[in-house]
Amino acid sequence: MVHRMFFRHTITSILLLSLAAPALAQQDTSANLDFYLGQALQNSPLLKDYRNQVQLGQVDSQLIHASYLPQVAGNSTNIYAPSYHGWGYDQAISNGGNFTTVIAVTQTLVGQKHLDAEYETVRLNNQGINNTSKISEQDLRRSVTAQYITTYGDLQQLTFNRDLFRLLDKESNLLKDLTERNVYRQTDYLAFLVTMKQEALLLRQLEIQFRNDHGTLNYLCGIVDTSATLLAAPAIELQYMPDITNSVFFRQFALDSLKLRNSRALIDFTYRPKASLYADGGWSSSLMYEPYKNFGVSFGVTITMPIYDGHQRKMQYSRLDIQERTRLGYRQFFTNQYSQQLAQLSQQLKATEDLISQINEQVRYSETLIDVNGKLLGTGDAKIADYILALSNYLNAKNLLTQNNITRLQIINQINYWNR
């Protein structure tokens, strides 16, 4: 019966190692974080949308310029009012008809300051789009980096557990010989096989998790690929934090302030006198008398002076004042959150790094204990149960170390998000 178990155990080991072979064969095709960030930024439809919106803003500036150039239009109005035996429109009013074909030119007169204010509206809107694009880029970088770190953590655990499984497989051959020579009991060896089987199942689960998270990484970056490649260690370092007033997140509040100021200027311009010039030339006739002589020109000027509109100007000023108070409230709240979050993340980073140092010490102790028990197993001077316990402690310590290293990288990623 024991021999049958040995045979099954050997077959299981071969099958499990063959399952891990595809991942091992891809070591030459590993990719790094910069590759995935580049793909994400290149494929993002949102960032492309923002770039297109900036180009639309340039077209809007051209439209403003064109709207204040002389406007030329051809107009033709032809009316015939027949009468029969006294029935019809009054000839004194209709003249029997009116036929007009002219070329008209209109020119709106506007001051340079008014024109600059309209250009400023487009310019500020483009700056706002550019700033929002930078924030969206930071969001995308943070998301892709976080997923890359998670996937890399899966790979680290998968690699460690694969190495551990190989160690167990190597020790099993030794324990099998010792058990056959009655150095160890069959029940002890069966307990070792159960541990090995459990590790094999965990190895398979970790491989599935790695492939799933790798697929999510490809999905975030817009990469159509279901294969999983090995990932290089993420080169993530804590970056310099700029002054809050120079960050893109704070820049939006400054742009909102400039927009409100520009809106106030545009309101003022709407209450100033407006003038436009008009001129046309062509043919206009009622056909009553010498219509071939009815060619001519006309010109004039239109002046508009606002007098009273129910105090709408004051109401629009009130709207801007309310919006300014809202802006100040959001800016103060953001400033508080910014400081609080960075302080909290820095505290978490320090605590995690301290914990990593302690875990590293625990890992060293566990490795030493495994080495000692492994040597004693070869001579039959150690219990298999003690060796399994040492392996379990080592596994827990290594997994805890991997998790905290990943947590450290995730915290740095969160801090670096605010560095632009």
Side-chain angles (χ1 to χ4, degrees):
M1 177 178 178
V2 174
H3 288 290
R4 286 199 298 269
M5 289 182 187
F6 294 155
F7 178 74
R8 283 196 219 125
H9 160 61
T10 304
I11 295 297
T12 303
S13 301
I14 295 173
L15 289 175
L16 288 170
L17 287 174
S18 65
L19 289 174
L24 292 173
Q26 298 179 9
Q27 289 182 359
D28 295 333
T29 59
S30 61
N32 57 22
L33 176 59
D34 289 339
F35 167 77
Y36 288 98
L37 288 175
Q39 290 294 309
L41 296 176
Q42 178 181 343
N43 296 331
S44 171
L46 180 60
L47 296 182
K48 294 178 182 178
D49 182 15
Y50 287 134
R51 288 193 290 269
N52 291 336
Q53 288 185 42
V54 172
Q55 293 180 357
L56 288 175
Q58 296 172 353
V59 176
D60 290 339
S61 294
Q62 296 172 358
L63 287 173
I64 292 174
H65 176 73
S67 67
Y68 287 108
L69 294 175
Q71 307 295 304
V72 181
N75 301 318
S76 180
T77 303
N78 303 282
I79 301 173
Y80 175 63
S83 62
Y84 181 74
H85 295 296
W87 289 89
Y89 290 151
D90 191 336
Q91 294 292 314
I93 298 175
S94 66
N95 290 326
N98 185 11
F99 304 90
T100 302
T101 300
V102 298
I103 299 295
V105 180
T106 58
Q107 172 67 63
T108 301
L109 301 179
V110 62
Q112 186 61 42
K113 291 184 177 180
H114 187 182
L115 195 59
D116 290 342
E118 294 204 32
Y119 286 142
E120 182 73 359
T121 299
V122 177
R123 189 179 68 84
L124 290 174
N125 186 57
N126 282 348
Q127 287 186 3
I129 294 173
N130 275 323
N131 197 72
T132 302
S133 177
K134 292 177 182 178
I135 295 176
S136 297
E137 183 179 327
Q138 286 295 93
D139 291 337
L140 183 58
R141 286 180 177 275
R142 178 175 62 177
S143 298
V144 171
T145 302
Q147 185 60 33
Y148 186 95
I149 293 172
T150 298
T151 309
Y152 177 75
D154 295 340
L155 179 61
Q156 289 293 96
Q157 287 190 316
L158 176 61
T159 302
F160 163 71
N161 281 272
R162 186 180 291 121
D163 293 339
L164 182 60
F165 180 82
R166 287 200 186 95
L167 175 62
L168 290 174
D169 187 62
K170 179 181 177 181
E171 294 293 340
S172 69
N173 295 324
L174 174 62
L175 293 178
K176 180 179 69 172
D177 294 335
L178 294 176
T179 303
E180 289 176 341
R181 287 184 289 160
N182 296 322
V183 176
Y184 291 108
R185 294 179 300 176
Q186 294 180 8
T187 55
D188 292 334
Y189 181 66
L190 287 175
F192 179 84
L193 289 181
V194 170
T195 301
M196 188 173 178
K197 180 64 176 178
Q198 185 176 0
E199 180 61 27
L201 294 175
L202 177 60
L203 181 63
R204 183 56 180 161
Q205 180 183 357
L206 289 173
E207 184 176 353
I208 294 173
Q209 184 65 43
F210 168 66
R211 291 184 177 276
N212 288 340
D213 285 336
H214 200 295
T216 302
L217 177 63
N218 288 338
Y219 172 80
L220 287 176
C221 299
I223 300 174
V224 183
D225 189 0
T226 57
S227 63
T229 60
L230 296 185
L231 303 178
I236 302 176
E237 299 293 339
L238 198 60
Q239 299 179 7
Y240 168 76
M241 289 292 108
D243 184 81
I244 184 174
T245 57
N246 296 327
S247 72
V248 294
F249 305 98
F250 199 83
R251 174 65 176 162
Q252 192 61 50
F253 298 110
L255 289 174
D256 290 341
S257 177
L258 293 175
K259 288 179 180 180
L260 292 175
R261 185 184 305 173
N262 189 64
S263 296
R264 186 178 291 268
L266 289 174
I267 292 173
D268 292 338
F269 285 124
T270 60
Y271 286 90
R272 292 184 180 181
K274 297 181 181 63
S276 60
L277 302 179
Y278 170 84
D280 64 19
W283 181 72
S284 181
S285 175
S286 64
L287 302 180
M288 297 294 292
Y289 177 72
E290 297 181 339
Y292 61 89
K293 292 184 177 181
N294 298 144
F295 289 92
V297 298
S298 68
F299 49 86
V301 60
T302 300
I303 298 177
T304 303
M305 173 69 77
I307 297 177
Y308 179 76
D309 65 352
H311 303 293
Q312 293 186 33
R313 185 180 190 178
K314 183 178 179 180
M315 297 174 190
Q316 293 183 67
Y317 282 165
S318 297
R319 285 174 56 88
L320 296 179
D321 291 338
I322 294 173
Q323 292 176 16
E324 172 65 11
R325 291 197 297 271
T326 301
R327 184 192 72 86
L328 292 174
Y330 274 111
R331 187 185 68 174
Q332 183 60 46
F333 186 74
F334 170 78
T335 302
N336 295 339
Q337 277 194 321
Y338 178 89
S339 302
Q340 171 66 20
Q341 187 163 34
L342 283 182
Q344 184 175 355
L345 288 172
S346 298
Q347 187 180 46
Q348 290 177 5
L349 180 61
K350 185 179 184 306
T352 302
E353 290 177 341
D354 291 341
L355 181 58
I356 288 174
S357 298
Q358 298 176 22
I359 297 174
N360 276 323
E361 185 176 358
Q362 178 68 19
V363 168
R364 287 193 296 270
Y365 289 149
S366 299
E367 288 176 342
T368 302
L369 186 59
I370 287 178
D371 290 339
V372 172
N373 278 279
K375 293 176 181 178
L376 293 177
L377 277 178
T379 61
D381 295 326
K383 295 181 180 179
I384 294 181
D386 292 338
Y387 184 70
I388 293 175
L389 179 60
L391 283 175
S392 177
N393 291 333
Y394 178 62
L395 177 63
N396 292 335
K398 284 291 288 187
N399 285 335
L400 189 60
L401 179 62
T402 300
Q403 292 172 10
N404 279 275
N405 279 326
I406 295 305
T407 299
R408 174 182 173 275
L409 292 175
Q410 295 286 19
I411 294 174
I412 293 176
N413 181 42
Q414 292 291 333
I415 295 176
N416 288 345
Y417 171 75
W418 301 101
N419 75 331
R420 188 166 184 178

